[in-house]
Amino acid sequence: GHGGNAPREPPPRRRGQPGPSRAALRGCGLSAQGSWRKAVRSDCCEAGRDCLSTLTTSTEDGAFQTKGHNTRILSPEEAERLANDRVLVSDFKQLKLEKEAQKNWDLFYKRNSTNFFKDRHWTTREFQELKACREFADQKLTILEAGCGVGNCLFPLLEEDLNIFAYACDFSPRAVEYVKKNSLYSTERCKVFQCDLTKDDLLENIPADSVDVVTLIFVLSAIHPDKMHLVLKNIYKVLKPGKCVLFRDYGLYDHAMLRFKSGSKLGENFYVRQDGTRSYFFTTEFLSQLFRAEGYEEVVNEYVHRETVNRKEDLRVPRVFLQSKFQKPFSKT
Ligand SMILES: C[S@@+](CC[C@H](N)C(=O)[O-])C[C@H]1O[C@@H](n2cnc3c(N)ncnc32)[C@H](O)[C@@H]1O
C-alpha cells in the first residue's frame, strides 16, 4: 500500500549486502547516462508513496540512475518468491475492486489530503520535450495532465512555465476539488474537471486535435489492464497530430512490486494495495503494444533504474520506472 500500512516484506537489502542491483545492472549492459547527480527529495518520484519517508539519492551513497531496455535482474530468492506467488484474488473481489475503483481513490485523497505525493518538480527536467515542443520561443502550449491527482505535476509546471494552458482531469472528485482550491489555480491558465478516462469522452471538455502534450504520470498503472486501451483511445482524439504523450509509471520488478504480500495478486504484474487501489507494473513490450494498437508511434520507451537510499534505515531500494514517449502520427496512411 501507500503510506504506513504498506506491506513491508521482504525487507529491502541492507547496504553492503550482496545483491543484484549495481553490479548486475552493469553486467546487463546498462549505461549510466550522466545521472550521477545529487538529487533532492522531490526527485525521488514515487518513492515517497512507498513508505520510505527519508529517501534521498546522492553520489556519495552510490545512488544512481540508468536508462535502457533491459529489465531488472532479480536475485534467485526474489525470483522464487515472485514465481511462488500464484494465487490470485477471487473474481468476486476483483469485480468489487473494479466497481469501487473511484471510491477507493477518493478515499485515498480523503486520508492523505494533498500531502502524499511529492511535488513533481522533476517533470520539466525529465521530460524536456515539454519545452522542446515549441516551434518558436514564446509559443503558448496546451497540455493535458491526465489523472492529475491533486496537481503535484500540474502546479510546478504552471509555475515554471508561464506560457502554458493546462487541462487537467482526475477520477477522484476530491482530488479535483483540491486542485481548484490551490492558490496557483486560475481559470485563465487551467481547466480542471472530473472524469473517468476509461469512460468519459475527453471531447466533452477539450476540443479535438488541440493538445500539444499529454502527460500520463503514474495513472495507467492504476487502471485495469483490460481498460488501459480505452484511456489511450480517449487521449488520442484531443492530441494534435504530430504531438506526444509523455508517460512515466512503474516498471517490472520495481521494489514496490516485490513487496506485495501473497494474496495481493490480481493478475500478471498486477496487484492490489491494502487500501483497494491497484497497481500494474509495465514492461516496455506491453506498453509499446498498447500504444501502437491505438495508432501511436513509439518515440522513446525505456526503463529507468534508480537506486534510492533511505539514509535513516540504511537501506538501498531498487526502483524501476518506465519512461516513454508516444506520438500521434501526422496523418494516417
Ligand atoms: C498514483 S496517482 C498519480 C497522480 C498524479 N498523476 C501524480 O503523479 O501525482 C493515480 C491517479 O490516477 C487517478 N485515476 C485512477 N483511475 C482513473 C480513471 N479511470 N480515470 C481518471 N483518473 C484515474 C486516481 O484518482 C489518482 O489520482
Side-chain angles (χ1 to χ4, degrees):
H2 5 233
N5 59 355
R8 276 175 178 272
E9 285 176 335
R13 227 180 315 111
R14 300 257 154 210
R15 264 193 289 166
Q17 280 181 359
S21 52
R22 196 168 180 172
L25 285 173
R26 276 219 197 95
C28 72
L30 288 167
S31 61
Q33 293 184 341
S35 305
W36 298 77
R37 58 185 156 80
K38 244 195 163 73
V40 291
R41 273 187 57 170
S42 60
D43 213 3
C44 293
C45 35
E46 280 292 88
R49 69 191 294 241
D50 289 303
C51 321
L52 295 157
S53 56
T54 56
L55 271 174
T56 181
T57 61
S58 79
T59 44
E60 300 94 76
D61 281 4
F64 71 115
Q65 175 175 304
T66 56
K67 291 182 179 175
H69 296 285
N70 297 322
T71 52
R72 191 186 142 208
I73 298 177
L74 298 175
S75 70
E77 302 80 58
E78 289 171 325
E80 194 185 326
R81 232 177 45 82
L82 269 190
N84 286 339
D85 188 16
R86 282 190 217 97
V87 181
L88 301 185
V89 169
S90 70
D91 288 349
F92 176 78
K93 179 135 187 256
Q94 297 229 20
L95 274 176
K96 190 166 185 276
L97 287 169
E98 180 62 24
K99 261 205 336 242
E100 295 180 349
Q102 182 182 13
K103 188 181 91 184
N104 288 332
W105 273 108
D106 209 49
L107 287 172
F108 170 84
Y109 288 112
K110 184 177 183 185
R111 278 191 308 278
N112 295 293
S113 176
T114 55
N115 305 322
F116 204 72
F117 302 112
K118 294 186 172 74
D119 276 357
R120 300 199 190 292
H121 277 282
W122 49 258
T123 313
T124 34
R125 202 170 43 235
E126 298 273 359
F127 288 124
Q128 303 213 333
E129 290 84 349
L130 275 177
K131 285 190 175 137
C133 199
R134 288 195 167 83
E135 284 130 40
F136 50 95
D138 54 356
Q139 184 183 7
K140 189 154 189 114
L141 287 185
T142 304
I143 71 163
L144 164 61
E145 171 87 51
C148 61
V150 293
N152 290 356
C153 268
L154 176 72
F155 292 117
L157 272 177
L158 288 175
E159 260 183 311
E160 278 164 36
D161 196 329
L162 294 176
N163 220 356
I164 281 181
F165 182 87
Y167 292 100
C169 65
D170 199 273
F171 210 9
S172 153
R174 208 170 244 115
V176 168
E177 280 317 302
Y178 278 127
V179 172
K180 285 186 178 161
K181 277 192 219 137
N182 191 302
S183 58
L184 290 165
Y185 184 77
S186 107
T187 49
E188 273 157 39
R189 300 200 59 206
C190 30
K191 174 176 177 183
V192 60
F193 54 96
Q194 193 275 332
C195 96
D196 177 346
L197 286 163
T198 68
K199 281 202 195 110
D200 306 323
D201 197 338
L202 285 170
L203 291 176
E204 284 169 22
N205 284 286
I206 307 173
D209 302 330
S210 69
V211 175
D212 293 291
V213 186
V214 177
T215 54
L216 200 52
I217 317 278
F218 295 101
V219 173
L220 217 51
S221 58
I223 289 167
H224 194 288
D226 292 350
K227 293 191 172 177
M228 290 175 184
H229 71 284
L230 298 170
V231 176
L232 303 187
K233 212 186 269 298
N234 207 354
I235 287 172
Y236 193 94
K237 295 184 274 187
V238 298
L239 201 54
K240 282 183 192 165
K243 303 296 181 176
C244 288
V245 178
L246 305 183
F247 175 94
R248 186 169 168 112
D249 217 320
Y250 296 109
L252 186 73
Y253 303 150
D254 176 49
H255 175 66
M257 175 170 173
L258 296 163
R259 264 188 354 193
F260 280 104
K261 286 189 184 141
S262 59
S264 318
K265 190 166 176 176
L266 299 167
E268 199 189 1
N269 306 332
F270 193 39
Y271 296 84
V272 60
R273 302 188 186 92
Q274 286 182 356
D275 64 7
T277 62
R278 297 164 299 172
S279 185
Y280 187 84
F281 295 84
F282 291 91
T283 63
T284 48
E285 293 82 5
F286 178 87
L287 192 75
S288 178
Q289 234 175 359
L290 204 63
F291 269 95
R292 283 167 190 270
E294 297 310 318
Y296 296 84
E297 286 163 5
E298 182 177 308
V299 182
V300 182
N301 187 24
E302 59 190 8
Y303 295 104
V304 175
H305 298 263
R306 176 182 291 215
E307 187 167 88
T308 48
V309 176
N310 180 333
R311 281 181 204 271
K312 208 161 114 194
E313 295 180 47
D314 197 27
L315 299 174
R316 299 191 319 188
V317 181
R319 304 306 315 255
V320 184
F321 304 110
L322 215 65
Q323 194 162 296
S324 314
K325 186 177 165 186
F326 291 89
Q327 185 180 36
K328 173 173 173 175
F330 281 101
S331 64
K332 277 199 172 148
T333 44

